[in-house]
Amino acid sequence: MNQLSLANGFNSADIQPVKLGSKPPSPAYLDKRVTKSQRENKRTRSQRARERLATKEHLARLAVGLGEVELAEKIDRCHSRLSVLTCGRHIARIIPNFTCEFRLCPDCGRRRSRRLQNKYLPMMNGFMLHNKVTPVHLVLTQTHRKESRKQSAKRIRDAFTKLQRREFWKKHFKGGTWSLEFAKDKNGFHHTHLHIVGFRRTFFAVELLRGEWLAVTGDSHVLNLKPILDLAAGLREVVKYVSKPLDIRRFGAADLKEFLGLKNMRMFGTFGEFRDFCKDFEPSDNDGAAVGELESLARDLVEGCACPQCNQPLFDLRMSAKELPQFYEQMESSPPGEVRGS
Ligand SMILES: [Zn+2]
Ligand SMILES: [Zn+2]
């Protein structure tokens, strides 16, 4: 309650872009990103399922072009046959025939990001219960340079390590999680962002943080900071880059080749006191393991069980991945609430 009103009170101060010296920051880019992600959230499930199919076809074609036939076959097979547990109106659970576990596969990425959410949300809730902190979403950016994806990722992570050693950071942050997002500008230069869910101890003026970031990077001061009012949504926003580290539709053969060389690059991690907290965390009843419970509830559902949303019996529908978007469409066009509550 206190934290909420605190966060609300400083909301506008946090978001205001602050000009530093003669070089104005370019928040326009980040602002555009916000609307882009809002647009993405507005897409229907059928549209998103169609996009996942198209992305996988594109990836498989690129893999064939590179002679990675085995990888292409795995992507093709992944989620190609589905067992859909449904009441006809809602989908309670989808069980795929096979999962490729390829890092750029959108179906496998979704599962991976759900796993991360299930694992970290209870720990974040627990951490907040034990500490007087406010969660914020911080995006750190760096200048675009002609460098490899690996160099770009190392540059921003090294700068973040330096930032964490500084007194300012230690005074104001108690740890959190980070994830990497990759993009390329129109010149083909990498620009890598670091998305952080940070636990803020006390409020500070954002321009001070800009100065700190400039001090450790030498040439970057563009960042975006906003309070997180809904922890689950905030975490989802950040782990989404683990499942979708880049825009794959604009991905060429050379990009895939480079990505295949990055096998062991970490895309997500914890830092600071939150990291230590996660090591010995054991969930208790009041640490709010809600997401985990829901997930295990879905895992227990079988044919004949009641649909969690409308209580109608569930049946098992077999279909191919190509039929799934249309199935979502049928559900989207049926009037909501007709079966609900019966
Ligand atoms: Zn997959
Ligand atoms: Zn239902």
Side-chain angles (χ1 to χ4, degrees):
M1 182 69 193
N2 230 347
Q3 274 162 356
L4 253 181
S5 54
L6 246 176
N8 271 331
F10 291 115
N11 196 341
S12 57
D14 267 356
I15 291 169
Q16 284 307 311
V18 175
K19 287 190 168 64
L20 191 94
S22 56
K23 246 195 320 183
S26 48
Y29 171 70
L30 288 169
D31 290 346
K32 231 176 19 218
R33 291 190 40 77
V34 172
T35 50
K36 188 181 160 219
S37 104
Q38 279 165 348
R39 208 164 49 230
E40 273 173 13
N41 292 340
K42 265 191 204 141
R43 284 182 320 210
T44 60
R45 285 200 290 181
S46 56
Q47 282 168 332
R48 280 177 299 186
R50 273 210 178 87
E51 277 166 26
R52 287 199 297 278
L53 271 177
T55 300
K56 286 170 85 170
E57 279 168 14
H58 179 60
L59 277 175
R61 263 197 309 273
L62 289 179
V64 169
L66 289 176
E68 298 277 350
V69 182
E70 212 177 299
L71 174 63
E73 276 168 5
K74 271 164 87 177
I75 297 170
D76 262 347
R77 245 182 86 206
C78 174
H79 280 240
S80 58
R81 304 283 322 163
L82 307 167
S83 157
V84 179
L85 209 55
T86 175
C87 63
R89 270 300 155 72
H90 311 107
I91 292 181
R93 194 184 168 199
I94 297 180
I95 306 154
N97 58 330
F98 173 76
T99 57
C100 70
E101 303 299 336
F102 180 48
R103 290 175 82 166
L104 296 178
C105 167
D107 284 320
C108 293
R110 254 157 54 103
R111 251 193 352 271
R112 204 162 40 238
S113 104
R114 259 201 307 270
R115 275 201 300 265
L116 282 176
Q117 288 171 52
N118 292 343
K119 180 176 172 192
Y120 285 100
L121 187 58
M123 295 200 246
M124 286 182 155
N125 279 321
F127 191 72
M128 305 244 323
L129 274 180
H130 297 286
N131 296 283
K132 264 187 81 177
V133 286
T134 311
V136 293
H137 182 183
L138 172 64
V139 188
L140 295 172
T141 78
Q142 62 185 3
T143 47
H144 308 185
R145 283 189 203 163
K146 196 173 162 62
E147 61 192 343
S148 71
R149 204 181 295 277
K150 196 171 187 166
Q151 286 165 335
S152 180
K154 186 175 183 307
R155 180 155 65 97
I156 201 163
R157 285 203 53 199
D158 286 351
F160 182 50
T161 303
K162 280 187 203 155
L163 182 68
Q164 287 176 71
R165 291 199 190 115
R166 292 175 73 89
E167 283 312 309
F168 178 87
W169 182 269
K170 288 185 200 159
K171 188 178 162 205
H172 293 99
F173 285 97
K174 219 175 162 70
T177 69
W178 60 265
S179 57
L180 282 174
E181 180 197 9
F182 295 109
K184 267 186 177 177
D185 67 14
K186 52 183 182 297
N187 301 314
F189 290 6
H190 290 288
H191 56 112
T192 304
H193 294 168
L194 204 59
H195 287 262
I196 291 161
V197 174
F199 292 110
R200 185 174 64 184
R201 299 173 195 262
T202 50
F203 176 75
F204 54 85
V206 72
E207 64 265 36
L208 294 176
L209 183 59
R210 278 187 209 285
E212 291 288 309
W213 185 235
L214 183 61
V216 294
T217 57
D219 57 5
S220 312
H221 56 264
V222 179
L223 55 84
N224 189 287
L225 179 78
K226 57 182 181 191
I228 292 173
L229 301 178
D230 174 348
L231 194 58
L235 178 61
R236 204 159 48 233
E237 169 79 16
V238 167
V239 298
K240 125 180 144 198
Y241 299 106
V242 178
S243 64
K244 236 175 90 180
L246 29 79
D247 186 357
I248 294 168
R249 273 166 297 177
R250 285 194 286 163
F251 212 57
D255 295 297
L256 179 59
K257 194 169 178 187
E258 190 187 18
F259 202 84
L260 290 173
L262 295 180
K263 279 202 173 89
N264 298 316
M265 188 192 280
R266 291 196 60 196
M267 309 282 278
F268 178 90
T270 52
F271 65 89
E273 285 179 43
F274 180 62
R275 185 187 191 142
D276 302 326
F277 181 85
C278 292
K279 280 183 198 146
D280 357 279
F281 177 75
E282 278 175 45
S284 69
D285 287 349
N286 40 8
D287 282 342
V291 181
E293 279 164 17
L294 264 177
E295 190 83 353
S296 63
L297 208 71
R299 220 177 291 135
D300 293 338
L301 289 174
V302 290
E303 200 165 16
C305 284
C307 167
Q309 289 181 73
C310 70
N311 273 328
Q312 294 291 308
L314 295 169
F315 53 92
D316 185 3
L317 207 60
R318 303 293 164 111
M319 64 178 80
S320 77
K322 291 193 169 75
E323 292 168 302
L324 185 65
Q326 211 184 340
F327 187 67
Y328 276 133
E329 239 161 42
Q330 277 170 22
M331 288 190 299
E332 282 154 11
S333 60
S334 58
E338 195 171 279
V339 184
R340 205 166 287 185
S342 59

